[in-house]
Amino acid sequence: MKLQVVWFKRDLRWEDHAPLAAAVATGQPVVALLLHEPSLWAQPVYSNRHACFEYESAAELAGTRPLLGELDIRAVNAPEGRETSNDAAEGRETSNDAAAGRGTSNDAAAGRNHLPFFYVAAEATEAFEALEAFAGIPIGAVYSHQEIGIETSFARDRHMKKWFKKRGITWHESPYGSVRRGLKRRDDWNAHWNEVMFKEPLVQADWALGQAWKPSPPWIDWAQAHQVERPAREAGVAQTGGAAWGHRYLRSFVAGGRGRGYMAHISKPEGARNHCSRLSPYLAWGNLSLKQVVRNLAETRSGELLAMRDARAFASRLRWREHFIQKFESEPRMEFEHVNRGYNQQTFSTSSAHLNAWKLGQTGVPMVDACMRSLNETGYLNFRMRAMLVSFGCHALNLNWKDLSAHLAQQFLDFEPGIHYPQLQMQAAVTGVNTVRIYNPVKQAEEQDPHGTFIERWVSELAPLPMPFRAAPWMLTEIDCVGYGFQFGTDYPAPLVDLTTALREARIRLYGAKKRPEVRAEKNRILEMHVAPQRKKRG
Ligand SMILES: Cc1cc2nc3c(=O)[nH]c(=O)nc-3n(C[C@H](O)[C@H](O)[C@H](O)COP(=O)(O)OP(=O)(O)OC[C@H]3O[C@@H](n4cnc5c(N)ncnc54)[C@H](O)[C@@H]3O)c2cc1C
């Protein structure tokens, strides 16, 4: 008899979880482990809001642990002592019981026990060493998804691979959705994505086959000594971690009507909060699998709950998700370097004053500041406004995307390395492949916030001003300022740069760089690696 360990990573759900199903199917004792690794959480991309989301997801896992083993009819009819499904759903269970995997006495008598789940603050080697020492039986195998993460987690995986091998422990890694490890060309990318999303079934573990490990007292003591502290919740971050919440967002978007008007609102910072799916943190932390969402949409579309245009646009974004993650998987150096090496000689501003003003939403450009303050407070911003923030930082201020990266990652509740780095570089125009997009924040305000309500909400200093001054207060004359009781440069900062000049200079700089031979040479290499053949021809 050997212990089968399910190592949870950013896949915090019980359903459609291939590693879990494989471990349960062995019929050997199973334990589930989620590690809160100090070395990973010390990285500048992670922040308290991520820790909170992970904690909430872990609490849900602890409160909804499946019962393993054959159902005994006598236990079902037993009059008392059974945990009700409501208790489990609401997480009413002491954390110690949850951690230790103590089921109720009737379940235990019936040979069924909750799958033990442990959420511990420890490095991977430390946790597995403790498990090895205290389990009482040898560790047979470890099951996890491949993690498409930052270099710190990849280095840990390389180390753990050797560590497991040395001890004769088999590590089964299931692919992360449609993403393929080390893929160098996209020849059959679409066919493979369709195969994974539509042809392969959702993975449902057969709980009846499983056997719950009975944790040993020394392991329970160790786990309790390494309990993860509950992080303080930030008032402005509305989304709560956990699969139940993910399903609620999905239902309200697809079937509940929130998704009607998806395309009409997708670029608007206020409208997108309600009409976009808001599924990104649930996908990023794995409360939902992409396949669950894709299937749900495919099944619901026939009921015509979403307009065809909205459903199609949403479906294509779901497809983009793993397209981007695959880019990062194929070329993870883009965490640190320009994906197009032709930009290595490019020079950038090193102004820390500009960088700090950008981070704080104090640039003196209202739409930029409103977006940044809203992101800093709530953890969410729609795609167009994320792109505009990067465009302003990289183009108008000529900052290096590398200097913007950690701040944005910390603020986005949905921080997903595989989307973050490729998107950041694309918007920063250092790929040499994509169309250069330089957003004018005043034009964006006119189009996406025509009444200035979003600016008013997040940059309340500008509330006394009507549009168009609210979006461009530098247009005020002295007499206007007197009329509105507004002191330009005191009530709100003057812009860091003259927008018209800065954007003109950016255009010259970026289009010039794109023509350089070293950038063009790299462009061909990038197309070869990251773009599917039919799109290469079109492009
Ligand atoms: C600089 C920058 C950084 C970004 N970083 C992240 C990130 O760390 N994590 C993240 O999930 N998204 C990121 N995005 C993509 C996009 O902005 C978000 O996915 C989207 O705004 C999330 O809101 P939603 O779930 O309501 O999206 P919806 O519009 O409802 O889309 C549904 C899902 O499709 C996927 N998706 C949507 N747009 C994109 C896109 N452009 N590229 C790839 N996948 C997409 C997401 O998983 C999203 O949850 C980034 C975009 C930019 C410009």
Side-chain angles (χ1 to χ4, degrees):
M1 206 164 56
K2 288 192 173 174
L3 184 60
Q4 312 297 311
V5 185
V6 180
W7 182 4
F8 275 99
K9 291 181 165 189
R10 289 176 54 147
D11 50 4
L12 307 177
R13 61 179 182 274
W14 294 120
E15 293 175 347
D16 195 32
H17 197 293
L20 181 64
V24 167
T26 62
Q28 304 262 333
V30 182
V31 61
L33 204 56
L34 170 61
L35 307 177
H36 187 84
E37 297 154 275
S39 58
L40 189 59
W41 284 87
Q43 296 308 308
V45 289
Y46 283 114
S47 64
N48 176 71
R49 60 187 55 171
H50 301 136
C52 206
F53 201 86
E54 182 192 80
Y55 188 93
E56 289 160 354
S57 304
E60 186 199 55
L61 287 174
T64 57
R65 289 169 301 119
L67 273 168
L68 300 190
E70 287 292 347
L71 181 64
D72 183 328
I73 195 72
R74 284 165 305 172
V76 174
N77 294 330
E80 55 186 335
R82 262 185 82 79
E83 181 188 64
T84 66
S85 56
N86 277 350
D87 283 343
E90 289 165 22
R92 265 184 244 132
E93 197 173 25
T94 67
S95 58
N96 283 348
D97 281 347
R102 284 179 209 127
T104 60
S105 53
N106 282 334
D107 284 325
R112 303 175 84 211
N113 272 304
H114 286 103
L115 195 157
F117 167 76
F118 293 91
Y119 177 38
V120 289
E123 299 297 345
T125 36
E126 197 189 350
F128 279 101
E129 265 166 18
L131 192 57
E132 195 181 38
F134 302 137
I137 53 171
I139 300 176
V142 174
Y143 302 79
S144 72
H145 278 110
Q146 284 171 346
E147 184 169 356
I148 320 295
I150 57 173
E151 170 56 25
T152 310
S153 65
F154 193 35
R156 172 256 280 143
D157 283 350
R158 290 194 298 266
H159 172 75
M160 290 312 291
K161 187 160 266 175
K162 288 189 200 140
W163 194 94
F164 290 136
K165 195 169 173 207
K166 212 163 143 192
R167 287 158 179 79
I169 299 169
T170 316
W171 185 11
H172 302 279
E173 284 189 283
S174 304
Y176 179 90
S178 64
V179 180
R180 282 176 286 179
R181 185 128 275 183
L183 188 74
K184 295 292 174 223
R185 286 176 61 91
R186 293 293 189 102
D187 293 342
D188 63 345
W189 167 256
N190 279 327
H192 177 69
W193 193 89
N194 288 336
E195 174 79 27
V196 172
M197 294 299 150
F198 295 111
K199 302 230 170 89
E200 290 178 9
L202 290 167
V203 184
Q204 182 53 56
D206 190 344
W207 306 123
L209 291 179
Q211 188 191 148
W213 175 55
K214 193 167 177 336
S216 63
W219 166 260
I220 292 174
D221 290 346
W222 184 88
Q224 288 198 337
H226 289 79
Q227 260 184 16
V228 180
E229 298 281 318
R230 176 189 278 275
R233 209 184 146 80
E234 293 167 67
V237 178
Q239 292 187 280
T240 306
W245 280 103
H247 283 289
R248 256 176 241 168
Y249 275 90
L250 178 59
R251 267 197 308 276
S252 67
F253 177 77
V254 178
R258 238 179 3 96
R260 275 183 225 125
Y262 174 65
M263 280 311 279
H265 292 91
I266 194 166
S267 297
K268 301 192 186 312
E270 200 62 61
R273 300 187 86 84
N274 189 40
H275 291 283
C276 284
S277 72
R278 307 294 303 274
L279 288 174
S280 53
Y282 300 99
L283 290 165
W285 295 94
N287 294 148
L288 299 178
S289 73
L290 183 61
K291 201 195 289 181
Q292 286 177 306
V293 178
V294 168
R295 290 288 176 86
N296 183 289
L297 180 69
E299 283 153 22
T300 314
R301 210 195 284 188
S302 57
E304 292 179 359
L305 291 164
L306 284 184
M308 195 51 92
R309 175 175 112 102
D310 292 329
R312 280 213 185 108
F314 180 60
S316 54
R317 277 155 186 82
L318 294 178
R319 194 177 281 262
W320 294 353
R321 179 183 167 77
E322 290 188 356
H323 161 70
F324 276 91
I325 297 177
Q326 181 69 65
K327 284 189 193 201
F328 186 61
E329 162 57 33
S330 296
E331 224 174 341
R333 68 177 183 86
M334 65 175 86
E335 181 181 345
F336 306 107
E337 299 170 20
H338 305 309
V339 64
N340 186 315
R341 295 182 181 93
Y343 288 93
N344 286 353
Q345 306 311 319
Q346 192 87 357
T347 54
F348 298 96
S349 159
T350 53
S351 166
S352 54
H354 281 190
L355 180 62
N356 285 335
W358 176 85
K359 285 183 190 171
L360 294 171
Q362 293 287 353
T363 66
V365 179
M367 195 59 170
V368 171
D369 292 344
C371 286
M372 187 60 92
R373 293 184 198 182
S374 146
L375 171 63
N376 291 350
E377 176 100 10
T378 69
Y380 176 76
L381 193 64
N382 62 322
F383 173 79
R384 171 68 66 85
M385 295 302 135
R386 293 185 195 206
M388 187 197 68
L389 282 185
V390 176
S391 164
F392 185 80
C394 293
H395 306 333
L397 302 181
N398 192 25
L399 294 166
N400 194 331
W401 63 267
K402 295 175 196 173
D403 295 328
L404 313 187
S405 175
H407 176 77
L408 289 178
Q410 283 175 14
Q411 305 308 320
F412 292 143
L413 184 61
D414 61 21
F415 169 58
E416 173 70 65
I419 304 180
H420 180 76
Y421 294 103
Q423 273 291 355
L424 191 49
Q425 295 213 25
M426 193 165 126
Q427 305 306 331
V430 291
T431 66
V433 174
N434 308 98
T435 311
V436 172
R437 294 201 193 282
I438 303 175
Y439 293 98
N440 181 329
V442 177
K443 191 160 166 276
Q444 288 302 311
E446 283 164 9
E447 290 172 4
Q448 312 303 345
D449 184 32
H451 306 296
T453 47
F454 180 74
I455 295 179
E456 181 184 8
R457 178 166 172 209
W458 293 103
V459 190
S460 56
E461 314 86 285
L462 297 171
L465 305 181
M467 288 294 269
F469 298 124
R470 201 180 279 168
W474 52 86
M475 283 166 43
L476 291 164
T477 61
E478 270 181 45
I479 195 72
D480 289 333
C481 286
V482 174
Y484 293 120
F486 180 80
Q487 285 189 293
F488 181 62
T490 306
D491 290 343
Y492 181 68
L496 295 176
V497 288
D498 175 75
L499 258 189
T500 313
T501 315
L503 297 183
R504 189 179 56 239
E505 285 173 3
R507 267 190 291 278
I508 295 168
R509 195 171 62 239
L510 295 175
Y511 287 112
K514 219 177 161 190
K515 289 189 195 129
R516 287 204 307 258
E518 62 273 27
V519 168
R520 292 170 76 95
E522 273 282 288
K523 174 183 170 180
N524 294 333
R525 183 194 64 78
I526 293 167
L527 284 173
E528 206 53 46
M529 179 180 259
H530 298 294
V531 181
Q534 63 273 30
R535 295 205 53 221
K536 263 182 270 185
K537 267 183 235 142
R538 261 187 265 143

